[in-house]
Amino acid sequence: MTISMYEASVPVFSARLKALSNVLSIAEQNALDRKIDPQVFLTSRLAPDMYALTRQVQIATDHAKGAPSRLAGREVPKYEDNEASFADLQARIAKTVDHLATFSAADMDGSDDRMIELKLGQREFSMAGMQYLLHLAMPNFYFHLTTAYDILRHNGVPLSKAIFMGSR
């Protein structure tokens, strides 16, 4: 039995991004309730050498839009990375979810063997689609998604695993 590249990516990215949107809504309301400038959360990071919340969300959405695009042989949409508010991040997530909705299983048929070539930083990668999805795109997506959650949790936003998973 082979894995459906579509089922392993598009619905997963969509569901997790919708949960991230909920996480950000809770964080924004929490900042208002606690009279904290939202920029405190948006610019927070877990460690001095890690990206801030805003960049974590940008990178998570980059992987979510990039992986299916590459697997389907489409151009990856370019975003400006200029988000400066919770509303901006919500718009970016919504734009990414809308992009994901343009894919079908047929778009990704056979992509498990399609060679994916990309450059991340100074490194260039070339790997089969399944390897790319399972060993690069998904782990990176989850890393940045989880780090965004952790930044907010570290700042006292009352989040739970159920909220992270999208079941609340």
Side-chain angles (χ1 to χ4, degrees):
M1 175 189 250
T2 59
I3 187 171
S4 163
M5 297 294 283
Y6 173 84
E7 289 297 328
S9 61
V10 173
V12 176
F13 287 133
S14 294
R16 299 290 64 81
L17 288 175
K18 289 173 186 173
L20 176 60
S21 176
N22 186 41
V23 165
L24 294 177
S25 293
I26 292 168
E28 184 176 26
Q29 185 60 53
N30 184 259
L32 290 171
D33 293 347
R34 294 170 53 200
K35 298 181 182 9
I36 296 171
D37 181 349
Q39 289 302 310
V40 170
F41 290 169
L42 294 167
T43 60
S44 289
R45 55 188 75 223
L46 290 179
D49 63 344
M50 291 182 76
Y51 290 127
L53 174 67
T54 297
R55 188 72 183 125
Q56 300 292 345
V57 173
Q58 290 168 341
I59 295 171
T61 56
D62 286 346
H63 284 287
K65 69 183 168 71
S69 297
R70 288 183 185 96
L71 292 168
R74 293 187 192 172
E75 187 73 25
V76 178
K78 303 227 184 311
Y79 296 171
E80 292 186 37
D81 294 338
N82 60 358
E83 291 79 16
S85 67
F86 280 107
D88 292 343
L89 292 176
Q90 293 286 10
R92 184 182 178 111
I93 292 168
K95 181 169 48 172
T96 304
V97 170
D98 288 346
H99 175 68
L100 291 170
T102 68
F103 292 93
S104 70
D107 294 326
M108 300 173 78
D109 285 349
S111 65
D112 50 326
D113 292 326
R114 175 179 284 133
M115 290 310 291
I116 305 296
E117 306 207 10
L118 69 151
K119 185 175 182 180
L120 295 175
Q122 299 301 317
R123 298 181 64 195
E124 293 185 20
F125 296 89
S126 179
M127 61 186 72
M130 187 176 295
Q131 293 302 107
Y132 162 68
L133 178 64
L134 298 179
H135 295 282
L136 188 96
M138 293 304 271
N140 273 287
F141 173 73
Y142 275 106
F143 174 85
H144 293 287
L145 190 74
T146 302
T147 302
Y149 171 93
D150 291 344
I151 288 168
L152 293 168
R153 193 67 195 95
H154 178 75
N155 277 279
V157 178
L159 299 169
S160 65
K161 183 178 179 182
I163 293 169
F164 177 83
M165 297 298 294
S167 56
R168 273 194 24 184

